[in-house]
Amino acid sequence: MSESPSLQSFIAGLPKAELHVHHVGSASPRIVSELAARHPDSKVPADLEKLTEFFTFKDFAHFIQVYLSVVDLIRTPEDVRLLTFEVARDMARQNVRYAELTITPFSSTRRGIDERAFMDAIEDARKAAESEFGTVLRWCFDIPGEAGLESAEETVRLATDDALRPEGLVSFGLGGPEIGVPRPQFKPYFDRAVAAGLHSVPHAGETTGPETVWDALRDLRAERIGHGTTSAQDPKLLAHLAEHGIPLEVCPTSNIATRAVRTLDEHPLKQFVDAGVTVTINSDDPPMFATDLNTEYAVAARLLGLDERGVADLAKNAVRASFLDDAGKDRIATEIDAYTESWPTT
Ligand SMILES: [Zn+2]
């Protein structure tokens, strides 16, 4: 990395908001080691050193293997609570003040975790994390696209049933592979989620072309786009995103790991900014892609040629693009400004 040590320490202390980060995908070796110790019959080693080796990113197939191993360790409501609370601890260590965590409840309920207990576990962790670390969490419930329409029905039911819907839920998403999983088929589910007051934040244009982003905007009423990487291929789409103020949730290292983009130097981040599109910087599945949010900001600073003030503006983009209430947004933005003003080189 060519960033100055000073820029790196600025980023480390900078109050940040994260908008695109997955619940299970945020399980660090430390957290997985705790979960593995609770379930000795699993094939996942509880030994931290062995786990760190297991987590070393090799290729996308290996990432899926790691991801599924962690999914297998989430067996009880207490596992869900532990994962959620400990993910918040890892975020707080990076000065993340607010995060919209993407949760796939279908993965847990289909494995037999009671839905009421699942909701109670995440809410309990959210409240504990806020009082203990000062990190505010909100939820995005996403449809695992590869699991078909049955998973879409189940996810929208969990997200809109008044007796179940958790207080922290703000948005509705769609993840999983894009190839062979056309976005328009999910329209009725997004319509129901939006009618219930949830924001629409599907993944689109990560591994398929800009037409998928158009589909997400038109059929799923997307208010932000998860990744949206291939939007760079369509100037009309870039203009539309800029004109309508639809932010992209950019996750640079993830895009390289999944081969959505070949190299960081070829990443279209700068093209988005030059086209007037609002970009936010995110980490996606950080430990599994050997990154964290601070590293992603450092990558973005290099790709965009930003100094401390530029990085602070980027952090404020995420605050503004979040679904936090106005008072909450103002509070974090003010914190970012105060931090930046007090930095010796700005
Ligand atoms: Zn994602």
Side-chain angles (χ1 to χ4, degrees), residues 20 22 203 206 227 251 284-285:
H20 189 126
H22 296 264
H203 287 57
E206 180 185 12
H227 296 288
C251 313
D284 211 7
D285 303 290

